[in-house]
């Protein structure tokens, strides 16, 4: 938007005297395609609502879309009488219209805030003031108040923890939590406002959702400090606000769930980053970390949300948090918190300024612009300023650290081994560092800690990594003594009795650990004998070391390993994730050993959860012990992964899991068993192995005219269980329809392994908007896998229709599925690879998704999975890729089907779910009695059930009765901005977004293509929100 101001107006406004100038823009926005989500159920008008998502304020009102221009805001929303408008800042007044049919909500935001941090939500919300913290208010859709009260009862503890941790009060005078339906993501943070997904709400009977919801809300509140209040200075500093917010949210997680859970989470985050870095290459967090004048060496090293894939951004968020944790280990906990406190203290001086020169959405001119910049400088975080502040507070210069971990990409990979030299009484440790990846990175150089557990205690050594291959000689403090048992002091001060009869009598070392505290972001592969890993698992008290030992024991199948893993599963003193991982490794060892039997794992489950008199009979469900409940869920899944020498699952596994389903009794349990029953059905799906065909007969190719009759007895029982639970789910729905999701996966596993013919019409009936979102995603996932196997054009076209027309969250989910399981690859020959598909994807990238960079980047990721950097094989080779989007090519082969084909052989009816209604009721299964649903293989809908075509669907087109909202400037006499959700969208594609180039140079000999683009990238619109 370019505004030309006449010279005489500038002189009249006093520009020469340095006075600010206000620019008033009157606009109208109709049918917005992005930035604002309309939820308009056709059956229930009370659940109609609208909300903004992401840092997309630029898509629904004119603004300076930059984090470097924070200002004060006055926002006004005119809505129908039965609706409530919630936005950033404090509610100053409510005005009733003259006719009494509408009311106006006016909010004032006194804290300087950038435009991307402005959001709103409008709907018929139920208001719930927090009973403990009166400055906080909760909003939810009608009918969800009981679940809301239970979900948010801990939120006030989060504020108290952050204020005590940071030594600073909450930057805003109020905070609002709004739970909406069809949210793009679990949470989206705005200034003093958090918009959350309704799926996070849960009643007291549900256990599995509690940790997920608490982590999401804690992270959203942390983003109020760093992300909405403290802002990144530039795109290169985006990692700083993201990392600090995730870091302090992790500290709250440690307070809630314990230090062991926190350490396990850190380990999983490190593995995620290392795995992605090994397969791909992340750009540096901030290439100009210490030099503000530095420029990226290549476009690949420039972070920008318009250029970064969503899955890549998720890994970068993990890496940013881990880098902050490494800084904590080098600076110290108290000193790093002093740095955070210093940042917030300096920023609070800016928040107390008057609003004289800060006008909402406008840029001041002349000397006032400089004054505005100087006053808001403390609100902006830069990497170089952060390094200087650490030096000022702690006296430690971390310049080398930031060059290694922030300004460069890649993570180091080490391979280690050790040997004991008896004559010198030393331990020879050899470390081999892999060379840096092609995309970036450098060799790791720095100190590292090594702990050696000896007979006389645990000794720590500090070594210096300088070369790619280095050998270190570490002195041993213990002497060899011939005895069968010894008391060995561990690193935590505990003394245990160790049986050393099976150990090497010539070595006084039990085990060696490199970087035991996870001080560095790296991957370490240690080579040790099986007896060493067994000692580490048995006697080491660190959960991360135990997990490392369990994974290593998978490579040493022996009776000693089996016995130790079985003892680990039995022992309740172990961390529950360690016990679950031990069960998984035990299943792999049983499958690998020639004499291994699945009865070993079944016996473990029966001993833990069977009755005392008859272990084969499972006890009544009791989920009061959360760790035991999670182990009870995981064990059947581990048992289902056991395979015999022929690659088939033993027959007793399906019978065992079926008995668990039939005899599971939840009558005396105060918690819901929906997730437990769902895990048992998932175990049935995991036990299905590929069908062994005789001759050329294949069910997939239609070899049998009656596929249900050709099923084996075991597969018939599995299918019958899935159909029966689908019937029961319509009468007693579980929380989030977990059982329905698992049943769909059972049917898909039967089709995928050749026991049933490939038929996507079963799953298409569950993809309608009248179903719960998780049910839709499970059905769409089955269709994506079927496309890869069946290669049917109508199924691929159906998926692309979903990508083009569905809700943003579902569209992003489908694109992610197709990237993980592409219909074909650039090296394979497929009938799906046609010009119509190329044109359709190209049009999505270039025009249709210009308003949503996350979806557009997901399509780019799909293009890369299908074609890579090569010209699609269906296009003319050697002439470059030229696609004329103006000429519409007939898509007869890619057109979406107008009618859904009837379900053949399996008549599975669908149940409806009203998206905007309350969450599914959590009802325990009744005591086994006379069955209320048929147990036959056919699941036919009752006569009163409407057909899928007649079911009510959600209309995404906003109605004229939806609320209109106006935004006012700080000046009292300013005309308002008005946006009404009617008509057609008037805004075009966002300026500055990179578009795929149409110019390519092809080398026929080497088939290398270079892509050039003259489009300049915008540096506005930073999105620190997850």
């Amino acid at each position: 938007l370019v505004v030309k101001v006449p010279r005489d107006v500038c002189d009249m406004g006093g520009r020469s005297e340095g006075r600010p100038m206000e620019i008033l823009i009157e606009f109208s926005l109709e049918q917005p395609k992005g930035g604002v989500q309309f939820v308009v159920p056709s059956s229930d008008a009370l659940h109609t609502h609208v909300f903004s998502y992401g840092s997309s304020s630029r898509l629904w009102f004119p603004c300076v879309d930059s984090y470097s221009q924070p200002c004060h805001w006055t926002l006004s929303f005119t809505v129908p009488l039965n609706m409530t408008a919630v936005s950033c800042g404090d509610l100053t007044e409510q005005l009733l219209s003259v006719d009494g049919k509408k009311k106006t909500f006016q909010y004032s935001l006194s804290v300087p805030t950038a435009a991307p941090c402005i959001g709103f939500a409008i709907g018929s919300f139920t208001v719930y003031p927090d009973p403990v913290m009166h400055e906080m208010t909760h909003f939810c859709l009608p009918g969800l108040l009981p679940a809301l009260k239970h979900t948010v009862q801990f939120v006030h503890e989060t504020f108290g923890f952050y204020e005590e941790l940071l030594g600073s009060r909450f930057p805003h005078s109020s905070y609002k939590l709004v739970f909406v339906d069809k949210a793009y993501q679990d949470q989206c943070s705005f200034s003093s406002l958090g918009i959350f997904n309704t799926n996070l709400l849960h009643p007291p009977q549900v256990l599995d959702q509690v940790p997920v919801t608490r982590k999401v809300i804690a992270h959203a509140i942390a983003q109020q400090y760093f992300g909405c209040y403290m802002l990144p200075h530039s795109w290169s500093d985006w990692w700083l606000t993201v990392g600090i917010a995730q870091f302090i949210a992790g500290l709250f997680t440690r307070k809630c769930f314990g230090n062991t859970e926190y350490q396990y989470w850190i380990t999983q985050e490190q593995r995620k980053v290392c795995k992605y870095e090994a397969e791909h290459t992340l750009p540096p967090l901030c290439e100009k970390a210490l030099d503000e004048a530095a420029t990226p060496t290549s476009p690949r090293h420039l972070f920008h949300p318009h250029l970064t894939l969503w899955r890549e951004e998720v890994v970068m968020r993990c890496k940013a948090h881990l880098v902050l944790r490494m800084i904590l280990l080098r600076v110290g906990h108290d000193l790093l918190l002093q740095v955070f406190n210093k940042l917030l203290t300096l920023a609070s001086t800016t928040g107390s300024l008057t609003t004289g020169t800060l006008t909402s959405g406008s840029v001041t001119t002349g000397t006032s612009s400089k004054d505005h910049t100087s006053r808001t400088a403390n609100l902006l975080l830069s990497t170089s300023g952060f390094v200087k502040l650490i030096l000022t507070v702690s006296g430690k210069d971390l310049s080398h650290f930031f060059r290694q971990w922030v300004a460069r990409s890649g993570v180091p990979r080490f391979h280690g081994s050790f040997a004991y030299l008896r004559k010198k009484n030393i331990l020879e440790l050899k470390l081999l560092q892999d060379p840096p990846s092609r995309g970036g990175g450098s060799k790791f150089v720095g100190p590292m800690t090594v702990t050696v557990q000896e007979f006389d205690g645990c000794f720590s050594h500090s070594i210096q990594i300088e070369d790619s291959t280095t050998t270190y000689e570490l002195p041993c403090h213990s002497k060899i003594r011939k005895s069968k048992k010894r008391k060995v002091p561990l690193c935590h001060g505990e003394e245990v009795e160790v049986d050393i009869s099976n150990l090497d009598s010539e070595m006084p070392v039990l085990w060696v650990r490199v970087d035991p505290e996870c001080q560095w972001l790296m991957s370490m592969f240690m080579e040790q004998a099986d007896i060493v890993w067994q000692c580490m698992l048995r006697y080491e008290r660190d959960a991360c070391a135990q997990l490392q030992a369990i994974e290593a024991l998978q490579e040493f199948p022996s009776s000693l390993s089996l016995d130790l893993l079985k003892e680990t599963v039995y022992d309740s003193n172990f961390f529950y994730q360690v016990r679950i991982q031990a069960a998984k490794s035990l299943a792999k060892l049983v499958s690998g050993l020639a004499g291994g039997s699945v009865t070993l794992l079944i016996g473990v489950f029966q001993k833990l959860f069977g009755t005392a008199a008859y272990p084969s009979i499972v006890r009544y469900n009791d989920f009061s012990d959360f760790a035991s409940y999670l182990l009870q869920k995981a064990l059947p899944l581990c048992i289902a992964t056991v395979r015999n020498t022929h690659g088939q699952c033993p027959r007793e596994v399906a019978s065992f899991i079926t008995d668990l389903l039939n005899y599971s009794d939840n009558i005396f349990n105060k918690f819901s068993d929906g997730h437990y029953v769902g895990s048992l059905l998932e175990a049935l799906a995991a036990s299905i192995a590929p069908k062994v065909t005789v001759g050329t007969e294949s069910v997939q190719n239609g070899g049998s005219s009656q596929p249900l009759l050709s099923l084996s007895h075991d597969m018939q029982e599995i299918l019958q269980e899935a159909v029966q639970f689908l019937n029961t789910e319509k009468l007693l729905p579980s929380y989030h329809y977990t059982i329905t999701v698992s049943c769909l996966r059972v049917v898909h596993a039967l089709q995928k392994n050749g026991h049933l013919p490939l038929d996507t019409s079963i799953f298409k009936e569950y993809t309608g908007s009248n179903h719960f979102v998780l049910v839709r995603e499970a059905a769409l996932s089955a269709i994506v896998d079927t496309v890869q196997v069946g290669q049917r054009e109508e199924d691929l076209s159906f998926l692309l229709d979903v990508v083009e027309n569905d809700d943003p969250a579902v569209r992003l989910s489908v694109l992610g599925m197709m990237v993980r399981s592409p219909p074909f690859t650039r090296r394979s020959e497929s009938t799906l690879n046609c010009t119509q598909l190329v044109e359709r994807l190209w049009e999505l990238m270039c025009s249709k998704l210009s308003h949503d960079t996350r979806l557009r980047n997901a399509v780019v990721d799909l293009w890369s999975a299908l074609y890579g950097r090569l010209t699609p094989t269906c296009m003319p080779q050697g002439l470059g890729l030229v696609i004329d989007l103006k000429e519409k090519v007939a898509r007869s082969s890619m057109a979406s089907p107008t009618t859904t084909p009837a379900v053949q052989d399996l008549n599975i009816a669908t149940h409806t779910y009203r998206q905007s209604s309350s969450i599914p009721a959590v009802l325990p299964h009744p005591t086994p009695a006379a069955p209320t649903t048929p147990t036959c293989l056919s699941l036919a809908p009752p006569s009163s059930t409407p057909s899928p075509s007649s079911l009510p669907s959600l209309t995404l087109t906003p109605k004229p009765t939806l609320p209109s909202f106006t935004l006012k400037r700080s000046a009292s006499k300013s005309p308002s901005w008005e946006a009404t959700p009617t008509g057609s969208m008037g805004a075009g594609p966002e300026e500055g977004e990179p578009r795929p180039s149409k110019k390519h140079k092809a080398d026929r000999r080497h088939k290398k293509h270079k892509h050039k683009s003259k489009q300049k990238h915008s540096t506005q619109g930073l999105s620190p929100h997850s």
Side-chain angles (χ1 to χ4, degrees):
L1 179 64
V2 179
V3 179
K4 296 182 179 181
V5 182
R7 179 172 299 179
D8 54 348
V9 176
C10 295
D11 296 337
M12 292 174 58
R15 180 179 179 183
S16 59
E17 300 177 4
R19 288 187 295 177
M21 176 182 298
E22 289 187 357
I23 300 177
L24 307 178
I25 305 173
E26 185 176 355
F27 76 101
S28 177
L29 177 64
E30 301 175 347
Q31 292 285 356
K33 293 183 179 180
V36 180
Q37 177 78 14
F38 291 91
V39 181
V40 188
S42 58
S43 58
D44 193 350
L46 288 177
H47 294 87
T48 300
H49 58 284
V50 57
F51 57 92
S52 58
Y53 61 86
S55 57
S56 54
S57 301
R58 64 189 182 276
L59 298 179
W60 54 278
F61 74 94
C63 62
V64 181
D65 189 25
S66 173
Y67 280 95
S68 60
Q69 296 291 335
C71 51
H72 295 187
W73 297 82
T74 299
L75 303 103
S76 178
F77 301 88
T78 301
V79 301
L81 192 61
N82 63 336
M83 290 190 175
T84 303
V86 188
S87 187
C88 305
D90 299 325
L91 180 62
T92 56
E93 61 178 349
Q94 297 186 39
L95 301 177
L96 188 65
S97 62
V98 179
D99 56 1
K101 297 182 179 180
K102 295 182 180 180
K103 56 184 176 180
T104 301
F105 293 81
Q106 185 168 343
Y107 288 87
S108 177
L109 186 57
S110 58
V111 177
T113 304
C117 297
I118 299 297
F120 71 93
I122 301 173
S124 301
F125 298 121
T126 301
V127 183
Y128 174 61
D130 195 270
V132 179
M133 186 176 173
H134 302 294
E135 299 83 1
M136 181 169 52
T137 310
H138 314 278
F139 300 84
C140 67
L141 297 174
L144 301 180
L145 185 58
L148 175 68
K149 291 181 178 180
H150 176 74
T151 302
V152 300
Q153 62 183 359
F154 79 99
V155 179
H156 68 277
E157 301 176 2
T158 310
F159 285 92
F161 175 82
Y162 288 153
E163 290 182 353
E164 182 181 357
L165 178 72
L166 301 174
S168 177
R169 291 188 58 82
F170 187 67
H172 304 282
S173 58
S174 64
Y175 185 65
K176 300 164 283 293
L177 294 87
V178 185
F179 292 86
V180 298
D181 198 12
K182 292 188 177 182
Y184 201 168
Q185 48 201 3
D186 286 340
Q187 64 90 11
C188 190
S189 295
F190 302 100
S191 182
S192 73
L193 171 67
I195 296 181
F196 301 87
N197 196 328
T198 304
N199 299 337
L200 295 175
L201 298 177
H202 58 87
Q205 296 86 356
V206 176
L207 288 174
D208 300 69
Q209 189 63 33
V210 175
V212 178
T213 299
R214 294 201 173 189
K215 291 177 182 178
V216 171
I217 295 180
H219 186 211
I221 298 175
Q223 285 182 327
Q224 292 297 315
Y225 288 92
F226 297 94
C228 296
Y229 182 57
M230 300 294 299
L231 306 170
H233 184 271
S234 64
W235 284 116
S236 300
D237 306 310
W238 168 86
W239 75 275
L240 200 51
T241 56
V242 170
I244 297 177
Q246 187 65 63
F247 172 74
I248 62 177
L251 296 181
F252 179 78
T253 303
R254 183 174 62 180
K255 173 183 176 295
C256 288
F257 305 107
N259 186 65
T260 306
E261 183 74 31
Y262 175 73
Q263 290 293 337
Y264 176 76
W265 174 59
I266 292 295
T267 304
Q268 297 304 311
E269 295 282 281
Q270 287 188 345
R271 292 186 178 183
K272 182 190 299 184
V273 176
C274 293
K275 180 181 178 181
Y276 192 90
E277 288 277 14
E279 299 174 355
H280 310 84
T281 302
L282 281 175
L285 295 178
C286 178
E287 194 169 18
K288 55 177 184 179
L290 303 176
D291 185 9
E292 293 291 346
T295 57
T297 56
S298 66
R300 183 65 183 84
H301 289 167
L302 175 64
F303 171 80
H304 195 282
H306 299 168
L307 302 174
T308 306
L309 303 177
W310 170 243
R311 57 189 177 95
E312 188 175 82
E313 183 178 332
V314 171
V315 180
M316 290 187 68
R317 290 176 181 271
C318 298
K319 186 175 182 179
H321 156 246
L322 295 174
V323 170
L324 261 296
R325 181 179 176 272
M326 289 194 291
I327 295 175
L328 170 73
L329 297 176
R330 273 133 198 87
V331 175
H333 182 271
D334 296 336
L335 291 178
L336 184 59
L337 293 182
Q338 289 183 22
V339 173
F340 296 159
N341 176 263
K342 186 71 172 178
L343 291 172
L344 295 173
T345 303
L346 293 175
S348 63
T349 60
T350 304
S352 61
L353 297 175
T354 60
T355 62
T357 59
L358 298 178
T359 57
S360 62
S362 64
V363 183
T364 55
T365 59
T367 57
S368 61
S369 177
K370 298 180 180 179
D371 184 54
H372 173 273
T373 304
S374 62
R375 291 185 178 184
T376 60
N378 292 330
L379 290 174
L380 305 178
L381 281 176
S382 66
T383 306
S384 58
F386 187 66
V387 176
K388 295 177 182 178
L389 187 57
I390 292 178
L391 178 61
T392 303
V393 174
S394 65
K396 296 183 179 180
D397 187 7
L398 299 183
S399 301
H400 176 73
F401 174 87
F402 274 76
R403 291 191 185 96
Q404 174 73 34
W405 297 99
V406 179
R408 297 173 183 172
S409 60
V411 294
R413 295 167 55 89
F414 288 93
H415 300 267
S417 61
F418 72 91
Y420 175 70
L421 303 181
R422 182 177 181 183
K423 293 183 179 180
K424 297 182 180 180
N425 194 27
I426 61 174
L427 188 72
E428 188 178 71
L429 176 65
K430 184 178 181 181
L431 293 180
L432 173 64
Q433 182 178 178
D434 291 347
S437 60
R438 296 176 299 173
S442 61
K443 183 179 65 175
F444 172 79
V445 177
M448 191 171 294
T449 303
V450 178
T451 58
V452 181
Q453 179 64 53
E454 304 181 21
F455 290 157
D456 294 343
C458 183
F459 300 93
S460 180
H461 306 271
S462 180
I463 60 177
Q464 184 70 23
I465 305 295
E466 295 179 353
D467 299 327
S468 299
T469 304
T470 313
T471 302
Y472 305 92
E473 294 183 352
L474 307 178
C476 292
H477 303 78
S478 304
K479 296 183 180 180
I480 301 175
R481 299 176 183 176
K482 296 183 178 180
S483 58
K484 294 185 178 180
K485 293 184 179 181
R486 293 191 58 177
K487 289 188 175 180
V488 177
L490 302 178
C491 60
H492 301 290
E494 183 183 359
E495 201 173 70
V496 296
E497 188 175 8
V498 179
D499 184 6
I500 61 176
S501 58
N502 296 327
L503 300 177
D504 188 358
S505 60
E506 302 296 330
M507 184 176 65
V509 177
L510 293 179
W511 63 78
V512 177
R513 295 185 63 193
V514 180
D515 191 26
E517 301 296 332
C518 298
Q519 297 182 358
W520 298 104
L521 176 56
M522 65 175 188
S523 56
M524 171 63 66
F525 305 93
M526 284 293 297
E527 296 180 5
Q528 301 183 115
D530 56 345
I531 191 64
V532 177
W533 293 115
Q534 293 171 8
C535 286
M536 182 184 293
L537 175 59
R538 190 186 299 271
Y539 302 112
E540 178 61 71
R541 296 296 179 258
D542 184 45
C544 298
Q546 295 169 353
L547 291 170
Q548 185 181 5
I550 289 174
E551 293 180 359
L553 286 176
Q554 297 179 12
E555 307 299 329
F556 300 97
S558 64
S559 58
L560 292 177
S561 299
L562 286 176
D563 295 339
L564 180 58
L565 291 174
K566 185 170 65 173
E567 294 175 5
T568 304
V569 179
Y570 285 144
D571 194 351
S572 60
N573 293 323
F574 282 94
F575 181 51
Y576 75 94
Q577 291 288 358
V578 175
R579 300 174 70 186
I580 292 175
Q581 186 62 37
K584 294 179 180 179
S585 299
L586 192 61
K588 291 183 179 180
L589 289 180
V590 168
S591 301
L593 291 176
S597 175
V598 73
T599 55
L600 175 66
L601 278 167
I602 296 178
V604 170
F605 184 92
Q606 292 175 348
K607 184 176 180 179
L608 288 173
F609 305 105
T611 58
Y614 300 96
S616 58
I617 300 178
V618 184
R619 299 192 299 263
Y620 289 107
N621 292 337
D622 183 12
F623 302 154
S624 57
D625 186 353
F626 188 60
S628 178
Y629 160 67
L630 294 178
L631 179 64
Q632 186 176 356
K633 280 177 51 183
L635 272 178
L637 285 170
C638 299
I639 296 174
T641 60
V642 176
R643 296 292 185 268
N644 55 23
T645 55
H646 301 287
Q648 299 294 313
C649 186
R651 298 188 60 181
E652 53 264 36
V653 171
S655 301
F656 169 72
I657 299 176
T658 303
D659 291 341
L660 292 180
L661 284 168
N662 294 332
Y663 296 105
S664 176
D665 198 340
N666 207 56
I667 188 172
F668 298 114
N669 189 15
K670 63 179 181 180
F671 299 106
S672 169
D673 67 339
H675 286 82
Y676 175 63
V677 174
S679 67
L680 294 178
L681 291 169
E682 296 276 2
L684 280 180
S687 66
I688 300 174
K691 181 180 180 180
V692 179
T693 58
V694 179
T696 59
E697 182 183 1
S698 175
V699 173
Q700 177 178 338
N701 297 328
S704 175
S705 59
Q706 296 180 340
L708 292 181
L709 299 179
S710 64
L711 285 175
S712 63
H713 177 70
D714 296 338
M715 296 300 106
Q716 288 183 6
E717 289 186 349
I718 292 176
L719 182 59
Q720 183 176 355
E721 290 292 334
V723 171
Q724 181 175 353
F725 274 100
L726 271 176
N727 277 325
T728 307
E729 184 82 337
K730 290 188 291 186
L731 301 176
L732 299 176
S734 60
Y735 177 75
H736 284 179
Y737 287 96
T738 307
I739 297 178
T740 299
V741 172
S742 301
C743 291
L744 291 179
R745 291 173 180 169
V746 171
V747 177
H748 174 57
L750 289 171
Q751 292 187 2
K752 188 176 181 179
N753 290 279
H755 300 279
L756 289 176
L758 294 177
D759 186 6
T760 57
S761 59
I762 300 174
F763 305 105
K764 287 179 181 179
E765 294 186 2
Y766 284 89
T767 60
S769 58
N770 56 331
H771 291 284
F772 186 60
V773 60
L774 296 182
V775 176
R776 300 182 63 195
E777 291 179 355
L780 289 168
S781 176
I783 297 176
V784 170
D785 289 343
T786 305
V787 169
Q788 189 181 41
V789 177
Q791 297 289 302
R792 297 176 180 174
E793 292 184 0
E794 59 271 17
D795 294 337
L796 180 59
S797 179
F798 176 82
L799 294 174
L800 293 179
D801 289 340
V802 174
V803 171
E804 292 176 352
N805 305 316
D806 218 304
D807 299 331
V810 178
R811 299 162 75 181
L812 183 64
S813 178
V814 172
L815 286 172
M817 298 172 191
M818 297 179 70
V819 170
R820 292 187 295 269
S821 180
F824 57 89
T825 60
R826 56 182 178 269
R827 301 296 182 185
S828 61
E829 297 291 337
S830 174
T831 56
L832 300 179
N833 187 5
C834 58
T835 57
Q836 290 84 357
L837 175 62
V838 172
E839 181 190 356
R840 201 166 180 180
L841 293 178
W842 193 267
E843 189 176 1
L844 284 172
M845 290 187 293
C846 293
S847 58
K848 287 189 175 181
L849 298 179
S850 59
H851 60 278
D852 196 321
T853 57
R854 186 182 300 181
L855 289 176
R856 193 166 63 88
N857 286 335
V859 177
V860 173
D861 200 9
L862 176 60
W863 179 283
S864 178
L866 296 177
Y867 306 113
R869 295 178 178 269
L870 305 177
T871 303
T873 55
C874 61
M875 303 300 294
Q877 301 297 311
L879 300 178
L881 178 59
V882 179
I883 301 178
D884 188 0
L885 297 180
K886 297 181 180 180
E887 297 181 2
K888 298 299 181 180
V889 182
R891 300 174 180 172
S892 57
S893 59
M894 294 296 296
S896 58
T898 56
T899 58
T900 303
V903 182
Q904 299 178 358
D905 301 323
L906 258 180
N907 187 13
I908 299 182
T910 61
H911 56 271
T912 62
Y913 172 73
R914 190 173 55 199
Q915 277 288 86
S916 59
S917 63
S918 61
I919 58 177
V922 181
L923 301 176
H925 291 285
T927 307
T932 59
T933 56
T935 57
C936 60
L937 293 180
S938 175
L939 179 58
S943 57
S944 59
T945 303
S947 61
S949 59
S950 62
L951 293 176
S953 60
L954 292 182
T955 305
L956 298 180
T957 304
K959 296 184 178 181
T961 57
L962 286 179
S964 63
F965 44 89
T966 62
L967 285 84
K968 293 183 178 180
R969 299 291 187 177
S970 299
S972 58
K973 298 182 180 180
S974 304
S976 62
W977 294 345
E978 181 176 285
T980 57
T982 57
S984 59
M985 182 177 180
E990 182 188 24
E991 181 181 359
E993 291 197 6
R995 302 175 182 267
S997 174
K998 298 182 180 179
K999 297 182 179 180
H1000 302 269
K1001 294 184 178 180
D1003 190 341
R1004 297 183 179 179
R1005 183 175 181 181
H1006 300 282
K1007 295 185 179 179
K1008 294 182 179 180
H1009 301 270
K1010 299 181 180 179
H1011 300 268
K1012 297 183 178 180
S1013 177
K1014 298 181 180 180
Q1015 184 70 27
K1016 297 182 179 179
H1017 304 302
S1018 173
T1019 58
Q1020 297 180 352
L1022 173 60
S1023 171
H1025 313 302
S1026 62

